[in-house]
Structure formats: structure tokens, C-alpha cells
Amino acid sequence: MNEITDATFEEQVLRAGTPVVVDFWAPWCGPCKAVEPILEELSQAQGDRIVFAKVNVDESPVHAARYGVLSIPTTILFENGEAQETVIGARPRAYYEKAWARWLADS
């Protein structure tokens, strides 16, 4: 998964030509560590269809605040520069697949 910062967010997420799932996380967050392998699996299954990225909210808080991220992990799927679907908290893979079904290829 790509590491995104406040400096690269606009270019890599808002101007991206494909949908981008952004995982807002922090190194001290236990549930964030549980979600990471699930997002990695989905990323590998999607190939170039969807980009998966992560933002460390401690190091890059601007966009977390802009999109109302109050608890982590929070994942937001962006398409055409707009937030489309938000998942708050650690969830099983099936939950993410259902939330993002419109964008995901069969995996």
C-alpha cells in the first residue's frame, strides 16, 4: 500500500485516475494492525483497478481532519476526487467487500 502524506494527498488521491481506498491509521492503534492485512489482500486482488493507500494521522493530520476522521481505523474510498464510501472501525474482509462492491472486481 502506498504511503500518503498531507503533501501528496491531493495528487495521489484527489487527482487519481482510479478509485483510491485510503486507510487512516496510526502505529499505536491495535485495530489498525488488524485491518492492514485485510486491505493488503484486497489490494493484491484488485491489481490496478483500485489503489490502496494509507495515511498516518499522527504525521499527516490535515486530511484526516478535513474528512472528519475522529476514530481509527477509518477507511474512505475516493473516486473522482470525492469521498464515496467510509468504513469506520476494524471490520472483517466481507464487510469491506460489501461496502465497496460497486468498485471491487470479483476477488
Side-chain angles (χ1 to χ4, degrees), residues 3-4 7 16 20 31 37 39 42 57 63 69-70 75 84 107:
E3 289 279 345
I4 305 288
V20 179
L39 297 179
L42 289 171
V57 298
H63 288 90
V69 175
L70 299 176
T75 52
Q84 300 291 323
S107 53

Side-chain angles (χ1 to χ4, degrees), residues 28-65:
W28 47 263
C29 169
C32 297
K33 292 175 185 167
V35 166
E36 186 173 10
I38 294 168
L39 297 179
E40 288 284 353
E41 288 173 7
L42 289 171
S43 175
Q44 291 175 7
Q46 294 308 304
D48 295 334
R49 184 181 167 118
I50 298 176
V51 173
F52 284 75
K54 51 198 286 182
V55 172
N56 181 332
V57 298
D58 289 339
E59 295 175 358
S60 298
V62 172
H63 288 90

Side-chain angles (χ1 to χ4, degrees), residues 19-32:
V20 179
V21 171
V22 178
D23 175 25
F24 292 91
W25 73 288
W28 47 263
C29 169
C32 297

Side-chain angles (χ1 to χ4, degrees), residues 3 15 34 39 42 81 91 93 95 102:
E3 289 279 345
R15 294 186 190 162
L39 297 179
L42 289 171
R91 307 288 181 187
R93 179 176 171 154
Y95 190 96
R102 182 173 126 200

